[in-house]
Amino acid sequence: MSGKSQLIACSVQGEIRGYDSTSIPRDNIQHGDVLRELFSKKQVLLAELKNYSADPTGTGIPANTRLLTEISVSSGSKISSGGHVVVSLSTNNFTVIRCATVFAEGIFEGETFVVHPRADQVTHHLDIPLVPPKDTPLDIHIRAFVGTSANKNQFHVFEVTRQLPRFSMYNVANPDAKVIPDSFVTFRLNEKPMRLEAWQNQNFLVNSSTEERGGEGPSSAEWRISLTSLRDGSMLQLKYESGTMTIATPHMGIAADIIQSLAQFFNLTAIQSFAEFPNVYLNLRDLLNKVDELQQNAAKMSANVADTANVIRGLIVQAEDSRLLQYMKDLRECYSHLQQVNNDLIRNYSLRSANHKELLQTLRNINNIVQHASRLRVGKTKNDVASLCRTAIANKNINLLIKTIKTGEA
């Protein structure tokens, strides 16, 4: 009756109702963003349907296709000459792996690593070499492109996430090349060898043999394993005997990482250790002597700068006097001398800057040694060692510093 178009509804009971746009609740009106979202989903489904229809054979990969992963270590192979971790991908049927992308934080120079073999080298198996720069657990995210043939344009993407253990860059040492390092750290540990094997299996990619475990069965009271670093070829020996754990390695940082890992795994709240690292102590003496030398050089250079500044001020005053008195010859000589002094000042600044950078780097190296020494302990002793070491450095007492690192006590 109002002249507007209405929707007429008639029920089976004979009831007739009319509805116009004003009688429809606004909450039921489909907004534009909802329509756009539905349209976007429609386009995705159409694109997926088109991909399935594009296969002229009408066959894709079998429904039971699975991507199998295996992680191992290698001292060198065709894909990488140096030591590395190998992530092996394979399928459980006739399908092939065309390529794979790997994302892992802190391993690659770029964001991801892509393995894309040539078409004639594509098989159901693909090896991915990884070289973790640090001994930290890493999550690696893998996307593998699997298809029935390398010449296909469409592949099924499998996504899988695996974790690399903390000490993945170590391999079992060659029995003929086992040389026990003269640097080691020892501490008391009341654990069973079977528990140590559980820790090893969680943090390494190697398994110790029965000979290395020191016997068969849970009654064995000894446990040991000899490893080789895949980064620099250095030896690492772990030995547990009569309640004493010995970690032999030339790197104090590696020993500290292992102690912290053991403390975390066994929920240890206190560890007091004895550390013997002769090369580190010699290096520490050299670093402290170098700090004294660099600080003396810095003091001499600062004094030279002060003297040069006084000379420059005097030359400027002399040049101004010559200008006012119209002594042009003396004025030119003053400015020539001033230029030479200024060039010397610039050269001295470069030397001071290089000396300062070298001093900072030396102090960082000393601080790293102190940090490693403190991490050789757990609990209150850890903080005490760091404090005692810094006090010894401030007092320039090298012998006390080395004693503190060795025993954890002043």
Side-chain angles (χ1 to χ4, degrees):
M1 295 188 302
S2 61
K4 296 181 180 180
S5 299
Q6 292 184 338
L7 176 65
I8 305 299
C10 180
S11 67
V12 294
Q13 287 82 11
E15 183 181 3
I16 299 176
R17 289 180 177 271
Y19 300 93
D20 57 14
S21 59
T22 59
S23 61
I24 301 177
R26 289 187 173 272
D27 295 340
N28 295 335
I29 299 177
Q30 292 184 343
H31 299 285
D33 54 348
V34 178
L35 291 175
R36 284 191 293 271
E37 182 180 356
L38 293 175
F39 183 76
S40 177
K41 290 182 179 180
K42 175 184 175 182
Q43 295 298 322
V44 172
L45 293 174
L46 288 175
E48 186 175 351
L49 180 62
K50 182 179 179 181
N51 290 335
Y52 284 120
S53 303
D55 190 355
T57 61
T59 60
I61 64 173
N64 63 345
T65 302
R66 297 291 181 269
L67 181 67
L68 309 177
T69 61
E70 181 181 357
I71 301 178
S72 60
V73 293
S74 174
S75 300
S77 61
K78 294 181 180 179
I79 56 177
S80 180
S81 58
H84 57 276
V85 177
V86 181
V87 180
S88 300
L89 306 179
S90 60
T91 58
N92 61 339
N93 49 31
F94 62 88
T95 55
V96 297
I97 303 176
R98 185 64 184 92
C99 66
T101 62
V102 182
F103 172 79
E105 186 175 358
I107 294 184
F108 315 116
E109 294 182 0
E111 184 177 354
T112 57
F113 179 67
V114 179
V115 180
H116 194 284
R118 296 184 309 186
D120 57 345
Q121 297 178 345
V122 173
T123 63
H124 74 287
H125 184 87
L126 183 64
D127 289 335
I128 303 174
L130 301 177
V131 183
K134 297 180 180 179
D135 291 331
T136 55
L138 290 171
D139 290 329
I140 55 175
H141 307 277
I142 304 171
R143 288 184 178 181
F145 296 78
V146 179
T148 56
S149 172
N151 299 322
K152 293 283 186 178
N153 294 326
Q154 299 171 8
F155 298 91
H156 187 87
V157 179
F158 285 88
E159 295 188 15
V160 63
T161 299
R162 293 292 302 271
Q163 186 180 59
L164 292 182
R166 183 170 187 173
F167 304 102
S168 57
M169 286 293 289
Y170 293 88
N171 199 1
V172 176
N174 188 345
D176 299 331
K178 289 183 179 179
V179 179
I180 301 176
D182 56 357
S183 302
F184 61 90
V185 57
T186 62
F187 57 93
R188 297 292 300 175
L189 181 65
N190 296 321
E191 293 292 341
K192 296 181 179 180
M194 292 184 63
R195 293 260 291 162
L196 287 171
E197 286 189 22
W199 167 80
Q200 171 197 318
N201 294 332
Q202 179 176 318
N203 291 274
F204 292 85
L205 290 174
V206 297
N207 293 318
S208 58
S209 62
T210 302
E211 179 183 357
E212 288 178 322
R213 289 195 296 266
E216 295 184 356
S219 61
S220 175
E222 296 183 9
W223 174 85
R224 62 181 178 272
I225 183 171
S226 297
L227 304 168
T228 302
S229 173
L230 298 179
R231 296 188 180 95
D232 57 5
S234 60
M235 289 293 300
L236 170 63
Q237 186 183 71
L238 308 178
K239 182 180 179 181
Y240 178 75
E241 183 179 9
S242 302
T244 300
M245 185 72 179
T246 302
I247 303 172
T249 173
H251 304 292
M252 183 184 289
I254 294 176
D257 290 338
I258 292 176
I259 289 177
Q260 295 300 316
S261 177
L262 287 168
Q264 182 180 4
F265 185 84
F266 295 118
N267 295 322
L268 303 177
T269 58
I271 291 180
Q272 172 63 292
S273 61
F274 176 82
E276 183 62 46
F277 291 89
N279 293 332
V280 174
Y281 301 150
L282 290 176
N283 184 34
L284 186 59
R285 288 181 181 274
D286 294 338
L287 290 174
L288 291 173
N289 292 331
K290 187 176 181 180
V291 167
D292 291 338
E293 181 181 351
L294 292 173
Q295 288 177 342
Q296 292 176 5
N297 293 339
K300 292 179 181 179
M301 291 180 185
S302 298
N304 291 335
V305 169
D307 295 339
T308 304
N310 293 330
V311 172
I312 290 176
R313 281 193 292 267
L315 288 173
I316 291 175
V317 173
Q318 185 177 353
E320 183 64 17
D321 293 341
S322 299
R323 185 186 67 83
L324 294 175
L325 297 174
Q326 298 296 320
Y327 295 157
M328 296 304 164
K329 182 179 179 181
D330 295 341
L331 179 63
R332 285 192 293 270
E333 291 179 355
C334 287
Y335 278 124
S336 177
H337 190 192
L338 184 62
Q339 184 179 8
Q340 294 177 2
V341 174
N342 185 66
N343 292 335
D344 293 340
L345 189 63
I346 294 174
R347 283 193 294 269
N348 289 335
Y349 172 78
S350 300
L351 295 176
R352 287 179 60 202
S353 178
N355 184 83
H356 182 68
K357 290 180 180 178
E358 189 174 1
L359 177 60
L360 290 179
Q361 184 60 45
T362 305
L363 292 175
R364 289 192 192 99
N365 294 336
I366 294 175
N367 183 67
N368 288 337
I369 294 176
V370 172
Q371 291 294 329
H372 294 331
S374 65
R375 294 180 69 247
L376 292 175
R377 286 88 185 177
V378 175
K380 182 177 181 298
T381 310
K382 177 181 178 180
N383 298 327
D384 292 343
V385 168
S387 178
L388 292 173
C389 286
R390 290 189 171 89
T391 301
I393 292 174
N395 297 331
K396 298 183 179 180
N397 193 335
I398 300 179
N399 294 328
L400 179 61
L401 175 61
I402 294 177
K403 178 185 176 183
T404 302
I405 295 176
K406 276 188 177 183
T407 63
E409 300 174 352

